[in-house]
Amino acid sequence: MRLAAAARLWGPPGLLLTFALHPALCLRPGRTAAPPHRDYCVLGAGPAGLQMAYFLQRAGRDYAVFERAPRPGSFFARYPRHRRLISINKRHTGKANAEFNLRHDWNSLLSHDPQLLFRHYSRAYFPDAGDMVRYLGDFADRLRLRVLYNTTIAHVTLDKDRQAWNGHYFILTDQTGQAHRCSVLLVATGLWVPNQVDFPGSEHVEGYESVSVDPRDFEGQNVLILGRGNSAFETAENILGVTNFIHMLSRSRVRLSWATHYVGDLRAINNGLLDTYQLKSLDGLLESDLTDLAVVKDHEGKFRITLKFFLEESNQSADAITLPQDDNDNFAMRVAYDRVIRCLGWKFDFSIFNKSLRLSSSGEFSKKYPLVKASYESKGSRGLFVLGTASHSVDYRKSAGGFIHGFRYTVRAVHRLLEHRHHRVPWPSTEHPISQLTNSIVRRVNEASGLYQMFSVLADIILLKENATAFEYLEEFPMQMLAQLETITGRKAQHGLFVINMEYGRNFSGPDKDVFFYDRSVGHTEDAWQSNFLHPVIYYYRHLPTEQEVRFRPADWALPRPTAIHHIVEDFLTDWTAPVGHILPLRRFLENCLDTDLRSFYAESCFLFALTHQKLPPFCQQGYLRMQGLMGTESLRRHGIESGLLRDYATVGRPREDGGQRPVGSSPAPGLPVQPLDGNKEEL
Amino acid sequence: MQRIAWKYYPRQQDHNTEQNREKSPASVQLQLMMSSSFNIFRVGISFVIMCIFYKSAVDSLSELSPQKYFSTLQPGKASLAYFCQADSPRTSIFLEELNEAVTPLQDYGISVAKVNCVKEETSRYCGKEKDLMKAYLFRGNILLREFPTDVLFDVNAIVAHVLFALLFNEVKYITTLEDLQNIENALKGKANIAFAYVRAIGTPEHRAVMEAAFVYGTTYQFVLTTETALLESIGNEDIENAHLYFFHCKQVLDLTLQCRRTLMEQPLTTLNIHQFIKTMEAPLLTEVTEDPQQVSTIHLQLGLPLVFIVSQQATYEADRRTAEWVAWRLLGKAGVLLLLRDSLEVDIPQHANVVFRRAEEGVPVEFLVLDDIDSLISHVESNVHVEEIQEDEDEDTKSPNMDVQDDEVAETVYRDRKRPLPLELTVELTEETFNTTVVASDSIVLFYAGWQAVSMAFLQSYIDLAIKLKGTSTMLLTRVNCADWSDLCTKQNVTEFPVVKMYKEGKNPVSYAGMLGTEDLLKFIQLRISCPVNITSVQEAEEYLSGELYKDLISYSSVSVLGLFSPNMTTAKEDFTEAGNYLKGYVITGIYSEEDVLILSDKYAATLPALLLSRHKEGKIESIPLANSHAQDIIQIITNALLETFPEITVENLPIYLRLQKPLLILFSDGSINPQYKKAILMLVKEKHLDSLTPCWLNLKNTPVGRGILQSYFDTMPPLPLLVVVNLHSGGQVFAFPSDQPITEQNLLLWLKKLEAGLENHITILPAQEWKPPLPAYDFLSMMDAAASQHPTRKDPECTKETDVQENDKKQHEDKSAIIKEPIETLRIKHWNRSNWFKEGEKSFRHDNKEL
């Protein structure tokens, strides 16, 4: 029951308050009838919970959000301790396109209300956490989301019922004992249980959640920080100037987010300590497994680092314990510390879920997350979805699914899935004639934010219609679920499909990679597949891949091997609209996949084709023949003639002026009309 | 990059090699042509393809002292020596060029040396000052010429100058027309002349001419000039480029006649000149009786097509004259042969009078029916032209350049990108201003995307429209760039570009569905009056029908439609109103349902409910009953009624007539149509002989693209007017009304009967192919596989090629393919084979694992 203990210890302060304020306390029902039912129950009114509530509300669904605190976003009320968010709030991009601008707005949730953009809440590039709390509060209020505040769900269990959507109901019991019955449970509780490592002397360690944030408390001290994430560096940053030195200890090497392209790794804004370490200013980084350590308090009240192993050996008094430096007199941490601070991050609170829900942790490398499928549905129980930060096992250390700017899109994907599963609303799509294929792709790769943030997790899908004369465009589908596309979306993929994804170069990102190497940028279209920076990649499949193919895809591949693949060459401005550099190679790729001609033509060309060919290119069929030909202007036509792509028919072989006087072809076969031999001699 | 050099071999050792080479099965066409012309003159001369790399492997400039140098000179052998003082860096560029010239000059038996003037043994050739160092050309030990180094500015100049000096007798340099005429007169009946104009001495073209003169100098008289006036005086204005003429003087016996001249059309390169001269040497006209597929002449070896003029005994004399005429016209472009049909064993189609055979192997011969020489010439020239392009590509890149824009709309818009458009004539809307604007005033909104070529092309028409309407329209012209206001466009249900919508009082936007051009959009805007118009009196109805009522709109809608209903026919009225609304912007509709409607229905013999159709151009009013017609039917009736019986077909209106799915009977006319023809066709229409066709005419003045159509039917422009039937929808045959028959009702009817009975032959069948990708795409998948399986690789492809060449040196050019740049990996996706990827994938996968 360590987890429960931890929860009580470090739980937000709102918990006790909740008991006092909750109105249900007074109206406690004394009935035995079935508990109140809701189709959708959302746990937690943090960003992910509110985002889901928004979509459910817009779709007119029966839902409620349960929040133990009196206001949304209680995590942000406390964290980060030093109040500076590291998610960027870029208020200017030089573009008006709202969708594009979301690529650089990492804090806003999705809504139809332009007032609910984070840039109206803070002018800071790295905003204050208080603004986030205010924003989330406004988001819930302005949109009138149905949130039950001060309601702590203490226990979740299953109630089997054949009538239920998923064969069972989820029974949620709050702190008053009131039960709530839900058809679908959406868990958006985040990670809030601080991670702790159990070693002798861990009681001497202060936690990030409670350590002082006042630098004056650290004046002239030796500080040891355990952990190497953003919270550890953020803590160090705050006291860097007042301590004697800071040592930072963790199991693995530091992962810099600009090298890994993962926003959860150490952000440059927090990395002042790296600078002082490498510039020989007493601060330093050390690597060691924390579980082998022990902290002992010496007679001066200072902390000494030793090994667990030495403690087990003898049972002596504190001052007599063997220290590593006794054997090894240049041991790095032989100095005594005034403080040891633990900054090891958080984990998911599994404690409220009954065993029958079979909600388990994700395994060795992402223990702190519950195990979910790529559709964010729990592997253990159907109808239970994990949203937000807690759903990050899907793309941990890869993409942005653990952060607002990423999970706002995965939440939308889950909502679309639910709409189809329970309400027969197929995944939204637009249908276009094939002549619009290149355009549709160019538009999305240039503005879509979901693709950009959730690269290699969410991808756009193009489903071809029979004979490839038209297609359907589906946005932001969880690409690992590609094999189940038809059941999830309710759309048919019988005639081939394209998947539009964004990717970094295969070997570009990594904690030990030099991302500034010379020649890192690719400019030539034929080398596009070697692009390093984030760029669009288009996969073409003749058939929907099977589950097996998705699961056993080659290592390093985001998807199974396609029939053909296209990379749009990386672009320094992330503007993939260059006619020859970006659009032309894309068109050639699409043409060759579909074995057709996707060029656009002026009406005059279509007119010529219509009278000189039995078949027309798609652009003429779908435009000109439907009376929507492109007429063009005189100046464009002149350019066309100059370029050689259009002909100047006014000057084409003028007919002879002798108007059919000469008998032509009266006898079909023998030879040609004879002209006098010497007639045109001088002509040469 | 390859260079062709003509290699000089000493006589003795050469003969055998030549024999061998000529017999060896040459795989490359180029070699074939090279090996066909030996034993011409002096010692054996052969042509060998050499790589530029070759030289680096062999010769380099020898450095000698003056004494040593003079001791090496052999009698009769030419030698070029550069005398220089102790190495001065200033001359190093010249030395590099000289070094490059060593191999080509040695090919002509000319040795090259650098002579170091050391102090002890000075020579009179050693200049006194460093600046005055010169190169000297000796034959034996006789000094032929001295060259200041600035004349020998590059390898071409060195070779050109040296050969020019050595061939002083073979190549006459002239400056006036008179000189040329003198030479011409002197050689009539004796020898042919190769006359070249080059812009300057020492140019690559000059070198090419000199190299040719080295080979052919004794066979033909070479004449060279650099005078532009001389070139112009023989009728060539293109003084920027070098030209070569062949003067056919040998056969001229009458001294008062001029020699025939043939201009070489290709650029002057050694290879081209060689090829050109070979074709000049070939017999002008050959008579054959074999299968055209089996005939072989020098032309095929040179990559030129063959033209067989089919003849028969009866017309032999005339045909032969024709063929000779053609042969002269095609000299240097194709081989011309006279094929005697009577003595021919193979069957050739009865109607064919020309057989065309391409130089490429395996391409079947074409049997053509050509009406005149011009069409024959143009057919050959267009084909030769294509070949040349292909050859060029073969030599340069081998693969088509996929980075060249082949989308006409994208290319034209791109080329026009720097021209500022008067965008201020339209109002740019944003998310903030959109709603207020479209509510405040009736607006046309163009939704476009700044990056999309089609919508940018249309934006230009839109701006043209704004210019036209400037200050006259109450309609506000606005635009929304969806690249900026993506959400706004989505909200307005715009997901494709471009889209035009009309907003009246901000509601029920009507999407424009017409041609994306200024004229049609203008019509749409002008005809936007609420339809159907409510007509309230008989008098007003008459005015409406006569076109008085909406005078200003008549030019946009040649037809006015008036629905007549009794006041109690409510459903019929509703249907008509719906149809009128639907057709808003395309045709004017009105409705009349007063009590006195019978006055009108009686006058126009209509049974109510009915529809009156007033064609203003023809001044005719017809009535169509509307009983039990739903809105859709009414729309159909009106749209059909808008079709003319014998329309002038244009780019804008063709699609409407194509919808009828009937073969088109098109009268092509250069200018307006002859009223008699029109009358004849209208008579046929009236007598219902043309019911299975869509008769129409095309004015080439209004629709110049019609010429392109005629060209594809006939190869060359036929005389006009011309009547064709195009069976677009089934079979694609094109039939032409005989141009020697006058277009009269009777003739036409007879012809159509024969057509129907299948007694007429089509002149062509329209191609039925699907539209395939114009070019392949990059095959990134196999590039990725290749990278995964073969590691760093292909760092420097140039290097590997060089070693290849050196290794193959001995084999000379047998392995040309090895030198040619490998095609970059481009593949049509449809050929990609699934099972192969899997294998490949496994391979690379295993490889990766091993690495780990």
Side-chain angles (χ1 to χ4, degrees), chain A residues 514-633:
Chain A
D514 172 16
V515 286
F516 298 109
F517 68 91
Y518 186 70
D519 251 5
R520 64 188 174 280
S521 72
V522 172
H524 294 293
T525 51
E526 68 266 35
D527 303 328
W529 62 281
Q530 290 170 313
S531 294
N532 285 312
F533 209 73
L534 195 66
H535 63 282
V537 182
I538 295 122
Y539 295 75
Y540 171 61
Y541 294 94
R542 243 182 240 129
H543 309 282
L544 200 61
T546 63
E547 237 179 301
Q548 290 284 319
E549 283 169 334
V550 175
R551 189 177 309 161
F552 299 111
R553 64 185 185 273
D556 290 349
W557 281 71
L559 282 174
R561 194 181 167 85
T563 306
I565 197 167
H566 182 70
H567 291 252
I568 301 182
V569 71
E570 60 183 331
D571 190 81
F572 191 60
L573 305 175
T574 64
D575 177 0
W576 288 280
T577 59
V580 172
H582 301 135
I583 300 179
L584 179 64
L586 172 64
R587 168 167 65 78
R588 297 217 189 286
F589 167 75
L590 298 171
E591 281 172 338
N592 282 281
C593 289
L594 305 177
D595 201 25
T596 186
D597 184 338
L598 293 178
R599 287 179 293 178
S600 44
F601 296 96
Y602 286 109
E604 189 181 78
S605 301
C606 294
F607 177 82
L608 176 73
F609 298 153
L611 290 174
T612 56
H613 291 74
Q614 294 192 43
K615 298 195 168 113
L616 288 186
F619 187 85
C620 293
Q621 270 179 41
Q622 296 169 355
Y624 180 70
L625 280 195
R626 294 180 187 166
M627 289 301 290
Q628 295 183 20
L630 180 65
M631 298 305 293
T633 62

Side-chain angles (χ1 to χ4, degrees), chain A residues 24-42:
Chain A
L25 209 61
C26 327
L27 329 158
R28 183 158 188 167
R31 61 209 158 95
T32 53
H37 173 85
R38 293 227 158 69
D39 287 346
Y40 296 94
C41 295
V42 183

Side-chain angles (χ1 to χ4, degrees), chain A residues 166 358-362 369-387 390-395 410 414 417 421 457-458 478-482 484 487-488 547 551:
Chain A
N166 292 303
R358 293 187 291 167
L359 193 63
S360 58
S361 101
S362 281
Y369 300 109
L371 181 63
V372 291
K373 297 192 257 187
S375 59
Y376 301 93
E377 188 165 18
S378 156
K379 286 202 173 163
S381 34
R382 187 176 157 91
L384 191 162
F385 289 83
V386 179
L387 309 176
S391 69
H392 197 23
S393 63
V394 170
D395 59 343
T410 59
V414 169
L417 179 155
R421 184 188 280 182
V457 178
L458 298 181
M479 55 195 275
Q480 294 312 313
M481 300 302 287
L482 192 58
Q484 293 90 336
T487 46
I488 288 177
E547 237 179 301
R551 189 177 309 161

Side-chain angles (χ1 to χ4, degrees), chain A residues 96-99 430-433 436 439 442-443 447 506 525-529 542 549 554-555 557 561-567 577 579-580 583-585 587-589 591-593 595-605 607-617 619 624-633 635-636 639-640 642-643 645-647 649-650 652-656 659-660 664-665 668-677 680-684, chain B residues 258 261-262 310 312 315 318-319 322 324-325 350 353 370-373 376 402-409 411-416 419 451-452 454 457-458 460-461 464 483-487 490 494-497 513-517 650-652 654-656 658-659 664 670 698 703-705 707-709 711-713 717-720 728 731-732 765-778 780-781 783-785 787 828-830 832 834 837 845:
Chain A
N97 190 317
E99 176 70 17
T430 49
E431 193 171 332
H432 305 277
Q436 292 287 332
N439 289 337
V442 172
R443 179 180 184 182
E447 66 179 30
R506 286 274 155 80
T525 51
E526 68 266 35
D527 303 328
W529 62 281
R542 243 182 240 129
E549 283 169 334
W557 281 71
R561 194 181 167 85
T563 306
I565 197 167
H566 182 70
H567 291 252
T577 59
V580 172
I583 300 179
L584 179 64
R587 168 167 65 78
R588 297 217 189 286
F589 167 75
E591 281 172 338
N592 282 281
C593 289
D595 201 25
T596 186
D597 184 338
L598 293 178
R599 287 179 293 178
S600 44
F601 296 96
Y602 286 109
E604 189 181 78
S605 301
F607 177 82
L608 176 73
F609 298 153
L611 290 174
T612 56
H613 291 74
Q614 294 192 43
K615 298 195 168 113
L616 288 186
F619 187 85
Y624 180 70
L625 280 195
R626 294 180 187 166
M627 289 301 290
Q628 295 183 20
L630 180 65
M631 298 305 293
T633 62
S635 78
L636 289 173
H639 284 299
E642 275 165 32
S643 71
L645 289 169
L646 293 178
R647 283 179 70 191
Y649 290 105
V652 164
R654 295 209 140 262
R656 274 190 296 282
V664 182
L672 307 151
V674 177
Q675 293 189 1
L677 246 182
N680 292 353
K681 228 186 214 173
E682 307 306 318
E683 247 179 35
L684 282 178
Chain B
Q258 256 196 333
R261 297 168 187 175
T262 308
V310 183
Q312 48 201 12
T315 56
D319 293 338
T322 309
E324 263 174 28
W325 171 247
Q350 226 0 270
N353 56 8
L370 296 171
D371 289 340
D372 54 42
I373 291 182
L376 171 58
M402 293 182 279
D403 290 338
V404 171
Q405 182 63 268
D406 49 6
D407 182 309
E408 61 193 42
V409 181
E411 180 65 14
T412 50
V413 168
Y414 184 73
R415 281 175 182 244
D416 205 44
R419 190 169 63 94
W451 49 263
Q452 196 231 0
V454 173
F458 182 51
Q460 296 209 358
S461 303
D464 285 353
D484 290 334
W485 308 105
S486 188
D487 289 354
T490 313
V494 174
T495 53
E496 299 166 11
F497 319 109
M515 287 283 177
L516 303 175
T650 60
V651 171
E652 287 91 332
L654 176 72
I656 321 176
L658 286 183
R659 278 182 200 158
L664 296 176
D670 196 13
L698 190 147
T703 314
V705 62
R707 295 182 193 284
I709 293 165
Q711 221 173 31
S712 92
Y713 294 169
M717 280 295 291
L720 294 177
L728 278 176
I765 294 186
L766 302 183
Q769 309 102 301
E770 300 286 344
W771 286 75
K772 297 289 178 187
L775 284 176
Y778 293 117
F780 288 138
L781 206 53
M783 291 188 206
M784 290 158 90
D785 289 346
R828 298 239 168 187
I829 286 158
K830 61 174 178 173
W832 297 346
R834 201 179 161 81
W837 316 324
F845 212 176

Side-chain angles (χ1 to χ4, degrees), chain B residues 347-367:
Chain B
D347 208 29
I348 60 170
Q350 226 0 270
H351 59 278
N353 56 8
V354 171
V355 183
F356 184 69
R357 176 167 166 208
R358 288 164 199 279
E360 297 91 344
E361 257 179 77
V363 181
V365 296
E366 292 168 44
F367 297 100

Side-chain angles (χ1 to χ4, degrees), chain B residues 536-550:
Chain B
T536 48
S537 70
V538 171
Q539 196 200 346
E540 198 187 4
E542 293 289 7
E543 280 172 15
Y544 174 82
L545 288 172
S546 69
E548 288 285 296
L549 193 57
Y550 293 108

Side-chain angles (χ1 to χ4, degrees), chain B residues 567-630:
Chain B
N568 56 352
M569 296 174 172
T570 36
T571 41
K573 273 195 281 187
E574 272 165 25
D575 280 329
F576 183 78
T577 309
E578 195 187 326
N581 250 317
Y582 182 86
L583 293 169
K584 188 158 90 175
Y586 303 99
V587 64
I588 313 177
T589 53
I591 187 164
Y592 188 76
S593 69
E594 301 298 322
E595 296 293 341
D596 54 359
V597 68
L598 286 176
I599 303 176
L600 284 172
S601 63
D602 285 351
K603 177 171 175 193
Y604 296 105
T607 35
L608 297 180
L611 187 146
L612 294 184
L613 206 73
S614 167
R615 296 181 193 276
H616 301 298
K617 247 193 272 174
E618 296 152 48
K620 273 198 294 192
I621 295 175
E622 48 187 297
S623 77
I624 300 168
L626 275 189
N628 298 324
S629 303
H630 294 293

